[in-house]
Amino acid sequence: MIPSTPPASLSASVPLTSAIIAFVVLILVGLLLRELTTVAGSPPETDDTVILRPATQEDVLRLMSIAGDALIEAGFDVSDVQSDLRAIATAHGLPDVQIIAMPTALVVSSTSGGTLRTSAVATGAVQLRLHQIEALDDVVARTRLGLDPRAALKEIRAIRQAPPPFPPAVQLLGGVLATMGLAVLLGSSGRGTLLAGGLGVFTGAVQLLGLRVPLRYQALVTVSAATGVSLAVFLLARSGWTADIVPSLIAPLVTLLPGALLTTAVIELASGQMISGAGRLAAGATQLLLLALGIVGPALLVGIPALELTSTRPAFGTLGPWLGVAAFGIGIVVNRCARPRSMGWILIVLYVAYGAQVLGGLFIGGLLSAFVGALAMTPVADLVARQRGGPPAIVSFTPAFWILVPGALGLMGVATLLSGDGTGTGSLLTAVITMIGIALGVLVGRALSTLIGLRRRVWS
């Protein structure tokens, strides 16, 4: 006789209280969004054209090369990059442009005026900070409306040189706050939250120092951070610390997960960008393998005893995860240098993502709960991007991704993750499956946003 399985809602580990809170939070956020979008409205489409002299074909192609390079380094998928560049070219009288965009190269060509002109640049050399991405998106939007190419070029170059809104020490404190918020979200106790915060100091310091490391050595930053955190956690486990193992291991390492990279890869593959999508997928998989090596290596070196995980009293009780989301949002805005005015919008997207994830965990189980969270937050991120002062969707998406992965891990339960696997590789495998679910949720959410007209960019 074939055994039957009950619906996920009958065996879900999500407390009814948490589900009720999630439902109330989503209702309140929906009402808040309605009020904010009514008051703020969409940004006015004013013509910011700067009249110098008529822009030449060379001016437009040069702008397209520099803007495309910056958009790729900001993390936009190549379909979005092509859509923006094509709109810029059309706005400046070059409707016949050909664009080849990849994560490491960009080629733009035009035959306007009977002359073939081509510009090619190497891309992906750096990674822009969130405040730079926001400023870049503003410039690109105005250029699509007619901003003079030479003025836009100067603004983009100034954006690249713009200092972060927060000094390194404040960025480090933001990273620690974000780590502690994630630990609380994972159900850590007060003592475990402090431990995660201490390990977050180490991870944040390594990442800040990694900004000075050449691109070809960035893999060492990931391995070093993962190795240091794992070594500390596993040494504590050998000394008898059996509580808060997963929060202490996962929370400091979540921001090392290549979430945006893998999600962009899935989107590009789905939109027919096979070379770009496959390249990003390989890069993301490599980063995951390096992260796994940083976790498994210390486990093999130190040796992990059989763990009988003890239950802990979660910090702040039932409201803990919701407070953790706020702490994470504030911390990540500071750590990743988003504009301070974007903090409220980012928190809205975070609460929609986590609230939808909790309800998803109730009805379809913890493993696929991140899919529901990503599906719900993607149209909201696109709606936020259309508001005056709202950050582009990619800026609010990245923190939301990092909240969805530990959220799914927390819903599945600590004991399940490390059952029979003291190295924590089971947690990493679950994180991989969760990231795939998030990518698919974002893909469906973007299709929904395009269908109802929320997205400024439309796939080519």
Side-chain angles (χ1 to χ4, degrees), residues 26-87:
L26 290 177
I27 293 295
L28 293 176
V29 169
L31 294 174
L32 178 61
L33 269 176
R34 180 181 178 182
E35 182 66 23
L36 290 175
T37 53
T38 301
V39 173
S42 299
E45 296 191 358
T46 56
D47 188 352
D48 293 317
T49 305
V50 178
I51 303 298
L52 301 174
R53 60 174 171 78
T56 65
Q57 184 182 24
E58 291 85 350
D59 292 330
V60 179
L61 289 179
R62 185 178 299 111
L63 170 63
M64 292 173 65
S65 298
I66 300 302
D69 178 24
L71 286 168
I72 291 173
E73 291 176 345
F76 289 95
D77 67 78
V78 295
S79 294
D80 279 349
V81 173
Q82 291 174 342
S83 175
D84 275 337
L85 297 186
R86 192 167 288 111

Side-chain angles (χ1 to χ4, degrees), residues 280-291:
R280 291 188 199 269
L281 192 62
T286 300
Q287 189 168 339
L288 282 175
L289 289 175
L290 292 172
L291 189 58

Side-chain angles (χ1 to χ4, degrees), residues 76-358:
F76 289 95
D77 67 78
V78 295
S79 294
D80 279 349
V81 173
Q82 291 174 342
S83 175
D84 275 337
L85 297 186
R86 192 167 288 111
I88 291 173
T90 301
H92 293 90
L94 298 182
D96 62 338
V97 294
Q98 297 294 321
I99 304 167
I100 300 175
M102 292 183 288
T104 57
L106 175 70
V107 179
V108 293
S109 180
S110 173
T111 57
S112 295
T115 303
L116 174 63
R117 296 186 183 276
T118 301
S119 176
V121 294
T123 62
V126 298
Q127 184 176 2
L128 299 185
R129 295 183 292 267
L130 294 184
H131 72 100
Q132 294 173 309
I133 298 173
E134 294 183 61
L136 173 65
D137 191 73
D138 292 340
V139 174
V140 169
R142 288 187 288 118
T143 306
R144 291 163 58 107
L145 299 175
L147 176 65
D148 186 85
R150 288 148 296 179
L153 193 60
K154 290 180 181 179
E155 290 193 41
I156 292 174
R157 287 172 174 165
I159 288 170
R160 287 188 173 277
Q161 302 299 322
F166 306 103
V170 177
Q171 294 177 40
L172 181 60
L173 289 177
V176 172
L177 179 61
T179 299
M180 295 176 71
L182 289 176
V184 172
L185 189 148
L186 283 166
S188 180
S189 65
R191 186 176 62 161
T193 300
L194 292 176
L195 172 61
L199 294 174
V201 173
F202 169 75
T203 304
V206 170
Q207 289 180 298
L208 285 175
L209 292 175
L211 297 177
R212 305 177 183 179
V213 176
L215 184 63
R216 61 181 178 274
Y217 297 127
Q218 284 297 316
L220 298 179
V221 176
T222 300
V223 175
S224 299
T227 299
V229 170
S230 303
L231 189 61
V233 171
F234 295 146
L235 284 174
L236 285 173
R238 285 202 66 85
S239 65
W241 184 304
T242 58
D244 302 311
I245 294 298
V246 167
S248 302
L249 177 64
I250 297 297
L253 300 179
V254 162
T255 55
L256 295 175
L257 292 172
L261 185 62
L262 291 175
T263 302
T264 301
V266 172
I267 292 172
E268 288 176 342
L269 289 171
S271 59
Q273 302 289 348
M274 294 177 288
I275 296 177
S276 178
R280 291 188 199 269
L281 192 62
T286 300
Q287 189 168 339
L288 282 175
L289 289 175
L290 292 172
L291 189 58
L293 179 63
I295 294 175
V296 175
L300 297 176
L301 176 66
V302 175
I304 303 299
L307 297 178
E308 293 183 3
L309 299 177
T310 61
S311 60
T312 60
R313 173 177 292 181
F316 309 107
T318 304
L319 293 178
W322 304 97
L323 297 175
V325 171
F328 172 79
I330 296 170
I332 209 66
V333 165
V334 174
N335 179 254
R336 298 291 164 157
C337 295
R339 290 173 174 173
R341 72 182 188 188
S342 298
M343 184 176 295
W345 295 111
I346 292 175
L347 286 174
I348 286 175
V349 177
L350 286 175
Y351 274 109
V352 169
Y354 185 68
Q357 182 182 37
V358 170

